[in-house]
């Protein structure tokens, strides 16, 4: 689980900001808050709702976490950091971008820090946290790398340390060679944690879906959420008629999404939706998915992806991952930018409440989302420490503030009214303007 995420000099965040998921002593909805009882005796919130005006920094926060993920997993170069520094202050262009994560893997807490300047790693460390102390796993600074026990005497680890480049993370380099090796699980903890983070955006073109139709009625869910869809129709396509070639199939269905994981890929092409699956014998199946709607006099109509509403598309992208979060023993951490995009307030609330109803003390999934819809800022189902506000000053610098930091916020208070009145910031400061051309004569 994510315990805390800090970032500085990234996007609109000039100074360090912190998203702290550790729960307060508030007693409301305590029964659905995950608990780490044995070692750390702490609770961690399963959800964070981030609100704010347009361009206040909400998406930048999720993008920062996504950027860190991609640099460790190797899908983006550290050099990309140059494009994300705070641009509105020339002095910040040569200052480092800082990331810090506190997280758990298998209920053990770890801390990871990364500092990048001018596209090169200048500092990086990983440690394991007990209830009373911090044990260094590795420490990289000014080109020097030190490992803690027992890795300091491991010849393979020390050899890998000599080959890491300045524009690569050591965590990523270790994962390139060691991933899947249980012996080095401590060294791989940051890689294994970041791999769980799934970023869902309104413009997503590729989706993952579990093979759970018998256990979880996706058709029933689409119907219950008032999409007008009675069920999904899957039509298998012969290989000679595939819209993708073999090379594209391999790209769409990477090795980690094998039959053992029970996951297929949903891919959009030319306005149509396809499911790409691979079985244990490495045989690939491709199906065309259409949406069945009920017409008059018992007639049924099959519609393609491009013919469906944005809301239905959004629901189909979200539901499989929310099912994962609620049911898997090793669940994902979901980052959803603009959760309310194309969705009615009541429908969005139903998705949030459906997720929260699955949470208890043993939950290890998390849902972190941004939204504009102030009606979702509701203490009837969210705790105060699960609500965050982004705001931006006149110099373009974003801040992140947790609702409990505002004094006098009771659990029975109408915070929607207070928010819209501007008490917490994070609302547009609008001036008057006209669309009509002014005649100056």
């Amino acid at each position: 689980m994510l315990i805390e995420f800090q970032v500085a000099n990234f996007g609109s965040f000039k100074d360090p900001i912190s998203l702290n998921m550790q729960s307060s002593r508030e007693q409301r909805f305590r029964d659905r808050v995950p608990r780490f009882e044995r070692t750390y005796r702490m609770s961690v919130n399963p959800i964070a709702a981030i609100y704010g005006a347009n361009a206040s920094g909400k998406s930048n926060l999720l993008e920062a976490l996504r950027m860190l993920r991609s640099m460790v997993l190797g899908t983006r170069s550290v050099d990309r950091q140059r494009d994300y520094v705070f641009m509105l202050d020339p002095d910040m262009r040569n200052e480092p971008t800082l990331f810090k994560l506190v997280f758990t893997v298998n209920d053990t807490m770890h801390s990871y820090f990364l500092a990048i300047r001018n596209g090169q790693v200048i500092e990086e460390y990983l440690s394991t946290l007990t209830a009373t102390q911090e044990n260094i796993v590795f420490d990289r600074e000014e080109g020097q790398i030190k490992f803690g026990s027992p890795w300091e005497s491991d010849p393979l680890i020390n050899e890998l340390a000599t080959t890491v480049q300045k524009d690569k993370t050591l965590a990523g380099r270790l994962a390139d060679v060691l991933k899947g090796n249980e012996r080095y699980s401590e060294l791989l903890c940051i890689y294994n944690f970041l791999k769980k983070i799934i970023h869902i955006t309104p413009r997503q073109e590729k989706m993952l879906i579990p093979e759970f139709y018998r256990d979880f009625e996706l058709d029933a869910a689409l119907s219950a959420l008032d999409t007008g869809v009675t069920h999904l129709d899957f039509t298998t396509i012969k290989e000679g008629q595939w819209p993708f070639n073999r090379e594209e199939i391999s790209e769409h269905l990477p090795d980690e999404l094998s039959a053992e994981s029970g996951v297929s890929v949903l891919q959009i092409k030319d306005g149509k939706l396809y499911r790409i699956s691979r079985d244990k014998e490495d045989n690939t199946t491709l199906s065309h998915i259409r949406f069945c709607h009920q017409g008059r006099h018992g007639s049924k109509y099959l519609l393609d992806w491009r013919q469906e509403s944005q809301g239905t598309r959004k629901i189909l992208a979200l539901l499989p991952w929310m099912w994962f979060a609620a049911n898997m023993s090793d669940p994902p951490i979901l980052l959803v930018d603009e959760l309310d995009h194309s969705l009615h307030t009541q429908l969005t609330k139903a998705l949030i409440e459906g997720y929260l109803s699955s949470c208890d003390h043993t939950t290890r999934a998390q849902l972190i989302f941004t939204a504009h819809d102030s009606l979702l800022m509701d203490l009837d189902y969210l705790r105060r420490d699960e609500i965050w506000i982004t705001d931006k000053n006149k110099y373009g610098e974003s801040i992140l503030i947790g609702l409990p930091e505002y004094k006098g916020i009771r659990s029975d208070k109408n915070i929607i009214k207070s928010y819209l009145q501007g008490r917490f910031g994070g609302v547009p400061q609008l001036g008057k303007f006209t669309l009509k051309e002014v005649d100056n004569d």
Side-chain angles (χ1 to χ4, degrees):
M1 296 188 77
L2 174 64
I3 309 300
E4 184 179 11
F5 176 55
Q6 297 179 22
V7 65
N9 193 22
F10 183 94
S12 58
F13 296 111
K14 176 183 176 181
D15 298 320
I17 59 95
S18 173
L19 176 67
N20 194 324
M21 301 293 290
Q22 189 167 345
S23 62
S24 66
R25 294 184 178 181
E26 181 176 345
Q27 294 303 307
R28 301 188 79 237
F29 308 121
R30 200 72 181 173
D31 58 335
R32 63 160 177 77
V33 176
R35 181 79 180 160
F36 293 85
E37 188 65 47
R38 293 183 179 179
T39 302
Y40 305 105
R41 304 186 69 82
M42 69 173 184
S43 299
V44 181
N45 288 329
I47 194 169
I50 304 166
Y51 303 92
N54 292 96
S56 63
K58 301 186 303 298
S59 296
N60 281 338
L61 178 62
L62 301 193
E63 180 61 25
L65 192 48
R66 183 186 181 202
M67 183 74 176
L68 177 60
R69 178 188 189 276
S70 65
M71 289 188 296
V72 172
L73 269 58
T75 54
R76 287 194 202 180
S77 169
V78 169
D79 187 65
R80 291 289 306 279
Q81 173 262 348
R82 303 171 193 262
D83 302 328
Y84 288 89
V85 297
F86 183 78
M87 295 292 187
L88 302 185
D89 184 345
D91 293 339
M92 298 302 294
R93 295 178 187 177
N94 292 317
E95 290 296 314
T97 296
L98 308 178
F99 302 93
K100 184 177 180 181
L101 277 176
V102 180
F103 61 97
T104 63
V105 173
N106 297 326
D107 286 8
T108 297
M109 196 183 310
H110 307 273
S111 178
Y112 176 74
F113 177 79
L114 179 66
I116 309 166
R117 179 190 288 124
N118 296 324
Q120 296 188 346
V121 176
I122 60 173
E123 187 176 355
E124 182 182 12
Y125 76 76
L126 176 67
S127 62
T128 298
L129 307 176
T130 69
T132 57
Q133 64 184 13
E134 181 176 15
N135 300 315
I136 296 297
V137 178
F138 66 71
D139 189 355
R140 174 189 186 186
E141 189 173 3
E142 297 180 351
Q144 301 295 316
I145 299 176
K146 297 180 181 179
F147 290 94
S149 177
W151 316 116
E152 57 190 348
S153 58
D154 189 303
L156 174 58
I157 299 304
N158 283 280
E159 181 181 350
L160 290 175
T162 64
T163 63
V164 65
Q165 301 174 7
K166 292 182 179 180
D167 63 345
K168 304 291 183 183
T169 63
L170 176 58
R173 176 61 181 148
L174 293 172
D176 285 342
V177 177
L178 304 175
K179 58 187 174 185
N181 191 326
E182 287 297 322
R183 178 186 174 189
Y184 298 104
S185 59
E186 186 178 50
L187 291 166
L188 296 171
C189 63
I190 179 61
Y191 171 84
N192 290 329
F193 171 75
L194 290 173
K195 194 168 63 171
K196 296 179 182 180
I197 294 177
I198 305 299
H199 192 230
I200 303 172
T201 73
R203 296 163 294 280
Q204 188 163 339
E205 288 295 315
K206 182 185 291 187
M207 297 168 285
L208 303 181
I209 188 166
E211 302 288 2
F212 59 82
Y213 304 112
R214 296 175 193 166
D215 301 320
F216 176 79
E217 291 289 346
L218 183 57
D219 293 344
L222 288 170
S223 179
L225 294 173
D226 198 27
T227 62
V229 177
T230 60
H231 66 273
L232 297 177
D233 179 82
F234 294 80
T235 302
T236 302
I237 302 175
K238 295 181 179 179
E239 183 170 352
Q241 299 174 336
W242 285 359
F244 309 100
N245 58 40
R246 278 283 177 180
E247 289 72 23
E248 289 177 308
I249 292 290
S250 297
E251 292 175 3
H252 296 323
L253 194 63
D255 291 338
E256 60 264 26
L257 301 180
S258 62
E260 284 74 18
S261 63
V263 177
S264 298
V265 171
L266 296 189
Q267 180 67 36
I268 304 159
K269 186 169 184 178
D270 299 329
K272 296 182 179 181
L273 183 63
Y274 299 92
R275 182 180 69 179
I276 306 171
S277 305
R278 183 182 292 149
D279 63 21
K280 295 180 180 180
E281 284 71 41
D282 206 30
N283 298 314
T284 301
T285 303
L286 192 142
S287 302
H288 178 200
I289 303 177
R290 288 178 292 178
F291 301 79
C292 186
H293 290 259
Q294 182 74 44
R296 289 183 181 274
H297 311 298
S299 57
K300 296 182 180 180
Y301 298 89
L302 297 178
L303 302 183
D304 269 313
W305 178 261
R306 64 174 175 266
Q307 298 168 301
E308 277 299 332
S309 71
Q310 290 288 341
T312 300
R313 299 180 196 181
K314 180 72 172 285
I315 292 170
L316 190 60
L318 283 170
L319 277 178
W321 284 115
M322 296 186 80
W323 182 90
F324 267 134
N327 292 279
M328 303 301 283
S329 58
D330 189 20
I333 296 171
L334 304 182
L335 308 182
V336 187
D337 198 13
E338 300 180 26
L339 177 63
D340 53 339
H341 176 78
S342 300
L343 299 180
H344 189 277
T345 299
Q346 293 300 101
L347 198 157
T348 311
K349 273 190 173 184
L351 290 172
I352 296 170
E353 291 178 317
Y355 163 74
L356 289 174
S357 68
S358 71
C359 297
D360 58 28
H361 292 327
T362 65
T363 296
R364 295 298 180 258
Q366 286 172 306
L367 171 63
I368 302 171
F369 69 88
T370 70
H372 288 286
D373 190 346
S374 59
L375 294 177
L376 300 174
M377 190 183 288
D378 193 338
L379 294 180
D380 284 339
Y381 65 96
L382 290 174
R383 292 161 50 93
R384 285 172 294 181
D385 56 7
E386 294 170 339
I387 296 175
W388 297 80
I389 310 291
T390 55
D391 202 5
K392 185 182 287 187
N393 65 22
K394 64 180 180 179
Y395 304 110
E397 302 166 359
S398 293
I399 59 173
L400 178 69
I401 306 174
L403 192 63
E405 294 182 47
Y406 298 96
K407 299 194 180 296
I409 305 299
R410 304 185 309 274
S411 60
D412 60 345
K413 186 176 181 62
N414 186 343
I415 62 168
I416 297 175
K417 181 178 179 181
S418 297
Y419 174 64
L420 292 177
Q421 289 174 341
R423 177 177 175 186
F424 312 135
V427 293
Q429 303 299 312
L430 303 177
K432 293 183 178 180
F433 72 101
T434 180
L435 296 174
K436 186 175 182 179
E437 185 176 353
V438 178
D439 187 356
N440 295 318
D441 293 338

